[in-house]
Amino acid sequence: ELPSPKHDPQTNNPRIINDYLEKLIQVPYTLPKLSDSEVETYMTLLFAKRELTTSYPKVIEHFAEFRKKNRYEVFGYADIEKIVEPAEKENLKKSISLVASLSSIIAQGLNGNPRQIKRFLNSFTLRHRLATIAEIPGFQIDVLGKLMILEYSFSNLFTELYTWQSVQQGESKELGELEKLAENEKPEEEIKQKFTGFWGDPQVIHWLKTEPKLSNVDLRDYYWIARDQLLSSMSGGSLIPAHVRSLFRSLVEYKSDAITKGKVTNEVLPLSGSHLVHIYSLLEKELIKNPGEANIHKIYIEMIRQKVPDSVTKYQNAVIKISDHEQIPFSLEPVMTLAAKDNPDMQTVYAKFNPISKIGKRLKPK
């Protein structure tokens, strides 16, 4: 029987429990993400399990033999078409038609995580059924799938696209321009010159280039199906990778400037676009909930000092959403001043603080 972890009831510090559990697990292991071909195979089998009854055991048996000879190749619809009962074949073909076209961006957007892929397909199936029940004319499942990838991987861009299309009868001119820029020789540079946020991220560019193109599609029905998520922000919670949540907790819990600096340098800066989006989302929620917690502000400030992408804009947006700026510690002024020496863009945040608050008065030009 294992002894109970030491826990300080006064501080209620979860770090004590985390440190204790670290001692129990002596062999660190990170589950490798699935490759594009493995994602396509996994999705094919998931759809087969959902759509097939009498034929499914044959499919699994055939897959076991296939894998012995072709470990690195895709096991797709063409490999199981001949062994599927005619009555079941049509439904499977319809469901599986988007697998090949979207598997690469699902692999990137969901980081090849089987658990997240299964959740994604469950949500996709539910929405597809809702669209069928609603009898939406001309509804395309590949459009639904592609749009959901953006929702899961870059929820802020999904929301921004919603705003664009909502005032343009469902067809966004901005999205059309982004799709054209994505085909250029140096799309990242050109997109970042014209659009803020993560539209220039390599993952998003790959999403923009993948068929079907969405600029000439009326997206209103697809956002209508996803309207619950526009309110509750599904991807902001359940699909955040465990290591991103762990990084966020360590940033918040270890209230040391030296540790924060090291973690931003070694762990935040190397993050891919979607993971960085999740960090910003978690930080913003924490800051709005605890605006008087200096450490949260210092994390943003250190990210700005080290020029983490989009850090200035994200901190500005978070500050604006704080209802009472009197709660913000005025002792942050020297920290911001030092950060501004390494990154002058830090000064653009000053104007976002209420000028009559203590921090606002401290940041006024001398």
Side-chain angles (χ1 to χ4, degrees):
E1 183 179 351
L2 293 172
S4 300
K6 296 179 181 179
H7 185 69
D8 186 343
Q10 293 183 341
T11 60
N12 195 31
N13 191 345
R15 181 167 64 86
I16 297 174
I17 297 176
N18 291 338
D19 290 345
Y20 175 80
L21 292 175
E22 275 189 16
K23 294 178 182 179
L24 299 181
I25 304 171
Q26 298 297 320
V27 183
Y29 181 75
T30 301
L31 187 68
K33 71 176 185 178
L34 301 181
S35 65
D36 291 4
S37 60
E38 289 172 328
V39 168
E40 187 170 343
T41 296
Y42 181 55
M43 291 171 62
T44 299
L45 293 173
L46 286 176
F47 275 120
K49 184 177 181 180
R50 190 190 72 182
E51 298 291 347
L52 304 178
T53 51
T54 57
S55 302
Y56 185 64
K58 296 179 183 178
V59 170
I60 295 301
E61 183 179 343
H62 186 54
F63 170 66
E65 292 299 319
F66 174 91
R67 188 166 174 77
K68 292 177 182 178
K69 302 175 182 178
N70 305 285
R71 177 174 295 274
Y72 303 108
E73 295 183 17
V74 173
F75 182 78
Y77 178 73
D79 298 292
I80 61 178
E81 183 180 11
K82 295 179 181 179
I83 60 175
V84 174
E85 298 291 338
E88 298 178 319
K89 185 180 295 185
E90 191 59 31
N91 284 340
L92 179 62
K93 187 176 181 180
K94 288 180 180 178
S95 297
I96 219 166
S97 61
L98 84 161
V99 169
S101 62
L102 294 183
S103 61
S104 63
I105 58 174
I106 287 176
Q108 287 193 26
L110 302 184
N111 304 297
N113 185 309
R115 184 165 169 260
Q116 292 188 14
I117 293 169
K118 190 169 184 179
R119 280 186 181 180
F120 171 85
L121 290 181
N122 286 340
S123 296
F124 169 81
T125 299
L126 176 61
R127 290 189 184 177
H128 186 207
R129 288 176 179 171
L130 288 173
T132 302
I133 293 171
E135 299 182 347
I136 298 175
F139 195 87
Q140 303 173 60
I141 60 172
D142 53 352
V143 171
L144 172 64
K146 183 174 179 178
L147 198 58
M148 284 182 64
I149 289 293
L150 185 67
E151 174 188 354
Y152 271 58
S153 304
F154 292 86
S155 57
N156 57 333
L157 301 188
F158 176 77
T159 304
E160 188 172 10
L161 178 56
Y162 166 76
T163 302
W164 289 344
Q165 63 83 36
S166 65
V167 296
Q168 299 177 60
Q169 305 300 313
E171 297 183 15
S172 168
K173 294 179 182 178
E174 294 88 349
L175 182 59
E177 184 177 0
L178 282 164
E179 288 181 347
K180 290 179 181 178
L181 290 173
E183 300 294 339
N184 292 346
E185 186 176 348
K186 296 181 179 179
E188 292 183 39
E189 296 178 9
E190 296 185 38
I191 289 175
K192 287 179 180 178
Q193 288 176 0
K194 296 185 177 182
F195 293 88
T196 59
F198 287 89
W199 288 109
D201 185 273
Q203 278 185 241
V204 180
I205 291 173
H206 181 55
W207 179 86
L208 289 166
K209 294 169 71 172
T210 302
E211 296 293 339
K213 298 297 176 61
L214 304 183
S215 56
N216 294 320
V217 176
D218 187 340
L219 298 176
R220 287 175 292 185
D221 287 333
Y222 300 93
Y223 273 104
W224 180 79
I225 289 292
R227 64 195 182 280
D228 60 321
Q229 304 310 337
L230 289 168
L231 297 176
S232 62
S233 186
M234 162 178 49
S235 57
S238 60
L239 289 174
I240 295 179
H243 75 277
V244 175
R245 286 188 175 277
S246 177
L247 172 57
F248 168 73
R249 285 196 300 269
S250 66
L251 282 168
V252 173
E253 292 172 8
Y254 291 91
K255 299 178 181 181
S256 161
D257 293 347
I259 291 177
T260 298
K261 180 180 177 180
K263 285 191 170 292
V264 170
T265 302
N266 299 318
E267 299 183 56
V268 176
L269 271 171
L271 287 178
S272 64
S274 60
H275 289 171
L276 194 54
V277 168
H278 291 315
I279 285 290
Y280 282 134
S281 175
L282 292 170
L283 277 174
E284 182 180 282
K285 290 177 182 177
E286 190 70 21
L287 186 67
I288 294 172
K289 184 171 66 174
N290 299 303
E293 179 56 65
N295 185 52
I296 311 298
H297 293 272
K298 287 181 179 180
I299 296 169
Y300 274 110
I301 295 167
E302 182 60 31
M303 291 171 73
I304 292 173
R305 191 188 70 79
Q306 296 195 34
K307 300 181 181 179
V308 176
D310 218 28
S311 53
V312 174
T313 302
K314 292 299 181 182
Y315 189 34
Q316 288 176 337
N317 292 342
V319 167
I320 291 171
K321 294 178 182 179
I322 296 174
S323 58
D324 183 9
H325 283 203
E326 284 298 332
Q327 296 185 48
I328 302 173
F330 63 85
S331 58
L332 291 169
E333 182 264 334
V335 183
M336 294 183 186
T337 302
L338 285 173
K341 292 181 179 180
D342 291 324
N343 185 358
D345 289 343
M346 178 74 242
Q347 298 178 31
T348 64
V349 181
Y350 298 172
K352 305 302 178 182
F353 293 97
N354 188 329
I356 63 173
S357 64
K358 292 177 182 177
I359 183 66
K361 291 176 181 178
R362 289 287 296 268
L363 291 170
K364 283 183 179 180
K366 302 295 187 294

